[in-house]
Amino acid sequence: MKILGKHKRLWDKDFWEILTAEFLSVTGGIIGGILLSVLTNKLEMIPALLILLPGFLEMRGNIGGSLAARLSADLHLKKISAKLKETSILKDNVLASSILAIFIALILGLLAYLSVYLIFGINNTNIIFIALIASVLSLILEMPLTIVATFWLFKHGYDPDDIMGPYVTTIGDVFSILALIITVMVII
Amino acid sequence: MKIIWKIIKESWKVLIIASILSSIGGFGLKTIQEKLVIFLPLLIALPALNDMIGDFGTIITAKFTTSLFEGKIKKPLIKSYFVKHLFKDIMPIALFMAVYISLLSVLVALFMGFETNFVFFLKMLLITLVSTASLVILIFLVAIIGGYKVYKNKEDPDDILIPITTSIADLGTMIIFSGLIYLLF
């Protein structure tokens, strides 16, 4: 019984929440990988794309992850109500995340352009517009899903801290790669 | 308006550094680009592995930060019940998911027409397990020790440590992943 009790403590609610979220996240990541194998066809057309890609995905995951973690902390500390409504805290968080996403995308686009220009001598400014447009597109797709999911999880007794990290990076990866594919197709 | 500028002020530098670090990882990927395209399961596994290790950075930081704000964390950090308990939750999941990633990416690649064998699968398993175990331990230490220091400086660890841990995950995954692919394939 002692052993059972110990195992019960070891595999608690957090364990199962994280395991389930990771299971879904990794499966989503594999979908991202399949989408990436589609995008590799475009890599030769836009050489800076492979340099932009990891930073772009990282930025989207970070901004979404931090947004969800801040909202989760505010929910746990009862600074905001579990009922999703337009509050100044929520609006400020959304606005700050949007400004950061566009600003960092611009920096990443410029860096990708400069590195390809300086290393390979290729002068192609498209990568800056690709970074900016794809960032706005993925913001429109991801932000509402992140906010609604954080509130929904908290309201239904789950800890968003366990679930939102994997959730945000998964939808971030899938939507960001999709946004990049759409933008590249429109621009080329 | 005060919250917006607080978030932007705390986040922008670390976000730029984190994104640039990941872009440096992009150069690493470029060096093994040919192998990635030839060995399809590796390409399919990469975003999932990257995501998973980054996710643990977010989970550990977010849970640790919430516990700090709730006053649940006592020193010494590494020996505190919460930290030990979190590690016991995270590590088995990480290793289990590493096996799952290897298996699923090989299966998907097989479905897409890639020809493989058992030795290839074992190499793939070794790459995902070594990358996962080493980086999860590193991220855990950074999130807990760094998170406590950031909190003591009256800043929000969520804003600073999440980008840092995920960029360690990204860059670390690409370095270890590229290195092991270079050695084993």
Side-chain angles (χ1 to χ4, degrees):
Chain A
M1 283 308 281
K2 260 186 184 175
I3 293 169
L4 269 177
K6 215 175 177 183
H7 277 279
K8 205 179 169 189
R9 206 156 42 108
L10 188 67
W11 291 351
D12 58 0
K13 183 173 164 272
D14 281 341
F15 178 89
W16 292 111
E17 281 183 6
I18 297 169
L19 181 68
T20 312
E22 270 309 318
F23 188 75
L24 295 173
S25 166
V26 164
T27 310
I30 297 287
I31 296 169
I34 297 167
L35 285 173
L36 192 62
S37 65
V38 174
L39 196 63
T40 47
N41 299 330
K42 312 279 178 198
L43 293 176
E44 284 173 17
M45 291 156 127
I46 303 170
L49 209 54
L50 198 63
I51 295 163
L52 175 75
L53 186 76
F56 188 79
L57 296 183
E58 168 77 14
M59 178 265 289
R60 300 291 323 127
N62 280 337
I63 290 175
S66 297
L67 170 69
R70 279 196 305 269
L71 291 177
S72 171
D74 287 344
L75 284 164
H76 279 295
L77 297 170
K78 297 185 175 26
K79 282 187 184 173
I80 44 176
S81 132
K83 204 176 171 189
L84 179 55
K85 34 181 191 187
E86 236 184 88
T87 59
S88 62
I89 292 181
L90 185 61
K91 271 197 269 182
D92 284 356
N93 270 285
V94 169
L95 201 56
S97 300
S98 307
I99 293 169
L100 282 168
I102 294 167
F103 174 65
I104 308 291
L106 178 68
I107 302 274
L108 282 175
L110 281 169
L111 282 173
Y113 163 74
L114 281 175
S115 52
V116 169
Y117 180 67
L118 294 173
I119 298 168
F120 303 107
I122 301 168
N123 187 4
N124 188 349
T125 50
N126 277 347
I127 196 70
I128 302 168
F129 298 108
I130 288 172
L132 273 175
I133 298 168
S135 183
V136 174
L137 260 180
S138 52
L139 256 181
I140 294 167
L141 296 167
E142 286 167 42
M143 188 85 82
L145 287 173
T146 303
I147 294 164
V148 171
T150 307
F151 277 82
W152 188 89
L153 286 168
F154 187 80
K155 208 175 161 185
H156 287 81
Y158 299 102
D159 184 354
D161 286 342
D162 287 340
I163 300 165
M164 285 311 291
Y167 173 84
V168 164
T169 46
T170 306
I171 60 162
D173 270 11
V174 173
F175 284 134
S176 298
I177 296 174
L178 266 178
L180 277 170
I181 292 172
I182 294 168
T183 313
V184 167
M185 281 175 171
V186 169
I187 284 189
I188 290 180
Chain B
M1 286 303 275
K2 218 177 163 188
I3 297 173
I4 296 178
W5 296 118
K6 182 182 176 286
I7 295 168
I8 293 175
K9 204 178 142 197
E10 281 182 4
S11 309
W12 76 274
K13 283 183 205 158
V14 78
L15 277 171
I16 289 178
I17 294 167
S19 304
I20 291 173
L21 281 176
S22 298
S23 295
I24 294 169
F27 282 102
L29 281 185
K30 221 170 160 49
T31 59
I32 54 155
Q33 189 178 346
E34 281 176 21
K35 285 182 182 173
L36 272 179
V37 176
I38 295 169
F39 298 113
L40 194 60
L42 298 173
L43 182 68
I44 294 170
L46 183 68
L49 189 66
N50 223 337
D51 263 8
M52 179 188 71
I53 299 171
D55 288 346
F56 288 126
T58 310
I59 292 170
I60 297 163
T61 306
K63 287 191 77 69
F64 186 66
T65 302
T66 303
S67 299
L68 277 170
F69 282 129
E70 288 175 343
K72 286 182 186 169
I73 302 293
K74 303 272 179 282
K75 276 192 134 182
L77 297 175
I78 302 293
K79 285 186 180 171
S80 76
Y81 172 76
F82 176 81
V83 173
K84 275 202 243 174
H85 188 74
L86 191 58
F87 189 78
K88 278 182 191 168
D89 272 349
I90 297 287
M91 205 36 139
I93 296 174
L95 297 177
F96 173 75
M97 294 317 295
V99 177
Y100 175 67
I101 288 173
S102 305
L103 202 62
L104 193 60
S105 39
V106 168
L107 283 175
V108 170
L110 274 172
F111 189 71
M112 290 169 83
F114 177 78
E115 283 179 23
T116 186
N117 54 43
F118 190 63
V119 177
F120 179 90
F121 176 71
L122 285 181
K123 285 181 181 176
M124 178 104 196
L125 197 60
L126 184 70
I127 290 172
T128 52
L129 282 173
V130 170
S131 308
T132 303
S134 51
L135 286 167
V136 166
I137 292 170
L138 179 66
I139 282 169
F140 206 88
L141 291 172
V142 172
I144 302 296
I145 297 166
Y148 193 76
K149 285 196 172 169
V150 170
Y151 176 75
K152 284 281 157 197
N153 284 340
K154 299 200 184 317
E155 288 176 302
D156 188 346
D158 282 337
D159 287 340
I160 297 168
L161 263 297
I162 288 176
I164 289 177
T165 50
T166 50
S167 68
I168 290 173
D170 263 14
L171 192 61
T173 308
M174 284 174 213
I175 291 170
I176 297 174
F177 196 75
S178 307
L180 288 174
I181 287 173
Y182 188 77
L183 284 174
L184 294 173
F185 291 98

